[in-house]
Amino acid sequence: MGLLVRPDAAGHAMTPGKLGEALNLSSPATTALVDRLERSGHVNRERSQTDRRQVELAMTGQARSVGRALFGPLAVHLGAALEGYTDVELELVTRFLEDMTAATAAARDAAGVRHSGPKPDTEKAQGDVNL
């Protein structure tokens, strides 16, 4: 659902194709996922206003409410937990997570596993990991 919350960096809405690519899913698996999200009331398929051939995925108000109910308290508790760490400690944890993420991506690449995410050298800058 996190991928559906906001448009991409260029301001484009999420499409089934982009969602499948981001999650490294086949087209049939993506269709099944979107169907389930739609049946559960979390997304709507809408025609693009700029290209009527294109289908965009829009989160419903129900999905936003569920997300707020689940992640609002999590954010409060995580924020409170972070207050117990110094800047130096957070820098160390950040470096550790970045290094472990890069090592995991390098191992994935060495194994020849197909992925659609950013290359390991860009993962640190973006803070986004797609395995």
Side-chain angles (χ1 to χ4, degrees):
M1 292 301 291
L3 295 169
L4 299 169
V5 170
R6 60 191 176 285
D8 66 18
H12 300 108
M14 182 58 70
T15 65
K18 285 193 260 182
L19 180 63
E21 184 176 324
L23 296 174
N24 200 22
L25 295 175
S26 67
S27 183
T30 301
T31 298
L33 172 63
V34 173
D35 287 347
R36 285 192 306 270
L37 289 171
E38 191 172 41
R39 277 194 309 272
S40 69
H42 292 308
V43 300
N44 290 320
R45 289 177 170 106
E46 299 175 353
R47 290 280 169 202
S48 168
Q49 296 300 312
T50 57
D51 182 352
R52 301 296 291 162
R53 297 169 296 174
Q54 188 75 17
V55 172
E56 297 174 346
L57 302 174
M59 284 184 66
T60 64
Q62 172 190 334
R64 291 183 192 285
S65 294
V66 168
R68 276 191 296 276
L70 292 174
F71 295 110
L74 177 62
V76 169
H77 289 281
L78 289 175
L82 280 172
E83 290 176 5
Y85 293 90
T86 67
D87 289 343
V88 172
E89 290 171 324
L90 290 174
E91 286 174 18
L92 177 62
V93 170
T94 299
R95 186 169 59 100
F96 170 79
L97 291 173
E98 288 173 344
D99 289 348
M100 294 304 105
T101 298
T104 301
R108 172 201 60 208
D109 292 345
V113 176
R114 181 172 107 40
H115 67 283
S116 61
K119 298 290 184 226
D121 60 337
T122 61
E123 286 175 336
K124 282 187 180 184
Q126 294 177 357
D128 184 19
V129 179
N130 293 318
L131 298 178

